[in-house]
Structures are given as structure tokens and as C-alpha cells.
Amino acid sequence: MSQRTATGVSLDIAGLTVGYGGEPVLHGVGLTLRPGEVVAVLGANGAGKTTLLRTLAGLVRPTAGSIELGGADILTLRTEDRARRGLALVPDGQSVVAELTVDENLRLGALWRHRGAARERAIAEIYDLFEPLARRRSSAGHQLSGGERQMLAIGRALVAEPALLAVDEPSLGLAPLIVGDVMTALRDAAASRGLTVLLAEQNVTSALSIADRGVVLSLGTVVADAPADLLASDADLRHAYLGF
Ligand SMILES: Nc1ncnc2c1ncn2[C@@H]1O[C@H](COP(=O)(O)OP(=O)(O)OP(=O)(O)O)[C@@H](O)[C@H]1O
Ligand SMILES: [Mg+2]
């Protein structure tokens, strides 16, 4: 288990239909990520971004569709088995353990994956990537700023060296300047590891600034899937679905 996952994996989602008992909230959603690609899932409140990420992690069961990670069907796997295959979800809300220090939070993230020297090396790599965390390694989670907490939430997922990182709304509740820092940190982490990243965001401009490609969800349907620079400059699409 202490083997290093060197590069990102592909993700193939097709025909995904998901609901919470009533009408579906995702309708036949399909998207493909190549290994090492950073893809932003964009869309307004209630578009289905979180539902897509939770379905990917195995927290919600789809009624139809397929999910393949690195070419292998993961749809029937439990959440923890998907994690063992290299899938990590960072939920929205900067979730860290408030009572534990930065260092302890990172250790918790690494616990199931690494031991001994490999664990120390994995944690040291996170401090190299996220310098603000290195400065605050002895501070408790509740003492951190929002941006630091978000970095810690991402760092805690990264320390287990996933092959695909799904991050839900990392910009939520952060000041614009800090959003930029968090996005840059995410981009650097992805680039240094060749990690595949699925980034759900309402903050279209910052998400597209680090993404290779963007997928726009509207009411649970994919309405656009295009290179990030094309999406950012498509005024009609932005007006219609992204509110600016
Ligand atoms: N646990 C749940 N039970 C019932 N309906 C839900 C549940 N979670 C989400 N929904 C509904 O599913 C739809 C999609 O919600 P989801 O949270 O996936 O959207 P989102 O794109 O992440 O929105 P936001 O940008 O506000 O986070 C919404 O209509 C929402 O009300
Ligand atoms: Mg959401």
C-alpha cells in the first residue's frame, strides 16, 4: 500500500442518471477525463455538481449509467474500495478535523495508505506544495483561516496519493484573493503529480483559469464540454448558463 501512485488515471462517465427518490437530478450525464487532465464542472446552484461528485465517490447510487476509473468499472465498488483504486473526494465546506492540528489532520489522511518513512515523505511533500500549511503545522484546524482550511482539506486527500482528485467548490466562502491561492495550489499539485482533477465550481472564472477543459451542467444535463479558453470566451454560453 505504500507504493507511490505516480500519475493520474482516466475517468469515463456515461449515461449517468441519479436521483434522490423523486425525479432524477442528473439525466444521462457523460464526461471523459484523460490521465492528468484538469476538468472543471461548472453550473449554477442545484445544477447537480455535488451529486455528480458524490455519485463518483459511491455515496449516491445511480439508477443508470457507467463509471470507469482507469478503464475499470467501479460502479459496484464501495466508497472505500474506490478510494483504494485511487479516487479521492474533497467535499465542499473545507472539511477538516477542527480539534486536531494541521499535522495530525495530514497524518490521519495518510494513515490508511502509508506507514513509516513513506508516510513522513508523503506529509513532507504536502508541506512543500502548500507552504501556508507548513507554517501552521502545529495549529488546530479551528485556528486556521478559511483558505488554510481549504488547503488542508485538499492536502489531506493528496497525502494518500490519489490518481484522481474530485474537489467540490473549493472557492466556497473564501475571499477572491484567497480563491486564487487555493486554485494555484491545486493546479501546482496536479501538475507536479500528473494528477487527474475533477473540479466542481460555481466560480467559473477561477476554475477555468486552472482547468484544461470545462463541462457545463444545467439542471442535471451536460450543455457544453469544451476547452477552458473557448468556454471562457463564449459570451452566449456564459450568459445562458453561467450567469455572467
Ligand atoms: N440529499 C438530497 N435529497 C434530495 N434532493 C437533493 C439532495 N441533495 C441534492 N438534492 C437536489 O439535487 C439537485 C442538485 O443538487 P446538487 O447539490 O448536486 O447541486 P450543485 O450543482 O452542487 O449545487 P450548488 O452549487 O448549490 O452546490 C438540487 O435540486 C437539490 O435540491
Ligand atoms: Mg454543490
Side-chain angles (χ1 to χ4, degrees):
M1 279 314 246
S2 64
Q3 235 171 331
R4 170 94 203 231
T5 306
T7 53
V9 287
S10 61
L11 175 70
D12 293 280
I13 293 178
L16 206 62
T17 297
V18 185
Y20 295 94
E23 281 291 298
V25 300
L26 294 182
H27 307 269
V29 166
L31 58 113
T32 297
L33 274 66
R34 291 188 297 277
E37 203 174 20
V38 177
V39 173
V41 177
L42 309 167
N45 270 322
K49 304 180 296 296
T50 296
T51 301
L52 177 64
L53 265 52
R54 289 174 55 81
T55 309
L56 176 61
L59 299 169
V60 186
R61 294 278 157 200
T63 52
S66 61
I67 305 178
E68 290 183 2
L69 187 68
D73 179 6
I74 60 164
L75 201 60
T76 57
L77 297 185
R78 291 174 306 177
T79 297
E80 56 268 37
D81 292 326
R82 297 184 196 203
R84 284 194 190 92
R85 296 282 183 99
L87 177 67
L89 171 66
V90 182
D92 55 9
Q94 304 153 11
S95 67
V96 303
V97 184
E99 296 79 10
L100 298 182
T101 65
V102 166
D103 211 60
E104 289 164 341
N105 268 281
L106 291 179
R107 270 163 210 288
L108 202 58
L111 200 58
W112 65 277
R113 192 66 146 179
H114 298 298
R115 46 183 66 193
R119 189 182 300 166
E120 299 313 310
R121 189 209 63 215
I123 292 170
E125 278 186 21
I126 300 303
Y127 288 138
D128 283 346
L129 274 171
F130 300 146
E131 277 171 24
L133 292 187
R135 287 197 295 273
R136 310 233 41 193
R137 65 179 80 197
S138 303
S139 302
H142 67 81
Q143 294 173 315
L144 303 179
S145 70
E148 289 164 344
R149 265 204 311 279
Q150 186 58 61
M151 280 187 199
L152 181 56
I154 295 170
R156 202 172 54 161
L158 282 176
V159 79
E161 292 172 357
L164 189 144
L165 185 71
V167 191
D168 197 0
E169 300 262 12
S171 76
L172 205 66
L174 301 183
L177 214 60
I178 308 300
V179 172
D181 290 347
V182 170
M183 291 292 174
T184 304
L186 194 54
R187 184 198 62 202
D188 292 349
S192 71
R193 297 172 173 215
L195 188 65
T196 312
V197 176
L198 191 59
L199 168 63
E201 263 298 347
Q202 277 196 57
N203 191 328
V204 175
T205 309
S206 9
L208 289 179
S209 75
I210 65 157
D212 300 308
R213 204 149 51 78
V215 173
V216 181
L217 272 183
S218 175
L219 298 175
T221 301
V222 174
V223 293
D225 183 338
D229 49 351
L230 278 185
L231 270 187
S233 60
D234 186 334
D236 291 343
L237 187 88
R238 283 195 281 110
H239 293 322
Y241 298 112
L242 302 171
F244 73 107

